[in-house]
Amino acid sequence: MSEERLKILELLSKGKISVEEAEKLLAALGEQAGEAGPRPATGGAKPRYLVVNVYSEKGGPDQPEKVNVRVPLQVIRAGVKLASLMPAVAKDKVNEALSEKGIQLDLDKIRPEDIEELVSALGDMTVDINDGREKVRVYCE
Amino acid sequence: MIPPYWLWVRIAPAARSGFRLWFPLFLLWPIWLLLGLLYFAVLILLVWLWPVSRRARAWLLMPPRAYAVLCALRGLSVDVSSPKDAVRVFIL
């Protein structure tokens, strides 16, 4: 671990900076390290996180419920590679379960080689649902 | 690939400040390193002694790929709040 990272973690553990500030600083450090190395051929900024925001007023406008989930896209890449090792029997069962829910997806067809294309396509995706009392927003950042 | 070093959890019931927990995951790094070395020793031995079938290959590849998923979890943030409770989990 670099000295800068250690310093940021130290400040965080002492409560001098918040988790969000620490995250931003660590991300900036990561970007600096990335700038020093070779850049990807695509040139554009790649999305790093899949964000899901849910805001609900089902219990009334004075009792809102909020859910914010931010998942690193790297988890999808690593997850697909791990899923490729799944035994054929288990894959069939997953495919069947998905089919019962109306999702026609064959896990055999999702290959780790194709995942970069999928992740870059996710960057352009935004789902925005608003029915007045509930709002759902899914996007990449 | 760097594994996560902190797990931060905050649980706050309504109208209370709640509590925060810091789990220093980097303290587990030496154990993971030891397990990794053990895994590679076993892997080399197995590959040397027996021809690796397709099924065995999948089992042998599973620990490093599971480790990759663990490393990828850095930056995961879950924030759930309602008028009664608020829970936040953050992996750094």
Side-chain angles (χ1 to χ4, degrees):
Chain A
M1 202 185 308
S2 73
E3 200 174 311
E4 290 89 354
R5 280 181 188 276
L6 279 173
K7 186 75 183 169
I8 294 166
L9 290 175
E10 199 181 308
L11 290 171
L12 185 62
S13 62
K14 284 178 182 171
K16 288 183 179 175
I17 56 171
S18 68
V19 173
E20 287 80 11
E21 287 167 336
E23 192 206 350
K24 280 178 189 171
L25 289 170
L26 286 169
L29 268 181
E31 278 168 18
Q32 276 178 8
E35 279 166 12
R39 280 173 170 267
T42 50
K46 283 186 177 181
R48 293 179 63 196
Y49 298 100
L50 178 71
V51 183
V52 181
N53 293 333
V54 182
Y55 180 85
S56 171
E57 288 182 355
K58 267 190 173 176
D62 54 331
Q63 293 185 323
E65 291 178 0
K66 294 177 202 166
V67 176
N68 294 317
V69 180
R70 199 180 63 172
V71 183
L73 288 173
Q74 193 60 31
V75 173
I76 298 176
R77 292 187 185 100
V80 166
K81 283 180 184 171
L82 183 64
S84 67
L85 300 174
M86 204 186 285
V89 185
K91 271 184 190 171
D92 290 343
K93 282 185 181 173
V94 172
N95 288 340
E96 271 177 38
L98 287 171
S99 173
E100 280 171 18
K101 298 278 180 189
I103 304 165
Q104 300 302 326
L105 184 76
D106 190 352
L107 283 182
D108 275 327
K109 288 180 182 166
I110 302 176
R111 292 163 190 268
E113 303 88 62
D114 304 332
I115 201 66
E116 277 310 316
E117 203 177 332
L118 175 71
V119 168
S120 59
L122 276 174
D124 303 327
M125 181 203 71
T126 303
V127 178
D128 225 332
I129 302 165
N130 187 352
D131 75 343
R133 293 174 72 185
E134 284 179 312
K135 292 173 194 169
V136 178
R137 192 168 150 81
V138 183
Y139 60 97
C140 289
E141 63 176 25
Chain B
M1 283 191 294
I2 304 169
Y5 27 80
W6 282 105
L7 172 66
W8 183 84
V9 180
R10 180 173 176 260
I11 300 170
R16 288 182 201 171
S17 59
F19 61 93
R20 290 172 190 183
L21 290 173
W22 288 93
F23 294 97
L25 297 179
F26 60 84
L27 293 178
L28 298 174
W29 287 9
I31 298 169
W32 291 339
L33 181 70
L34 203 71
L35 287 174
L37 290 173
L38 211 72
Y39 162 76
F40 278 113
V42 171
L43 182 75
I44 289 166
L45 205 70
L46 284 177
V47 172
W48 185 52
L49 290 177
W50 290 286
V52 181
S53 67
R54 198 178 166 187
R55 196 174 172 186
R57 185 180 166 270
W59 280 105
L60 290 172
L61 282 174
M62 212 165 271
R65 295 213 174 159
Y67 176 75
V69 173
L70 179 79
C71 293
L73 285 175
R74 278 175 59 206
L76 178 80
S77 157
V78 179
D79 192 355
V80 182
S81 67
S82 73
K84 289 180 182 175
D85 298 297
V87 177
R88 183 152 197 213
V89 179
F90 192 79
I91 297 176
L92 201 66

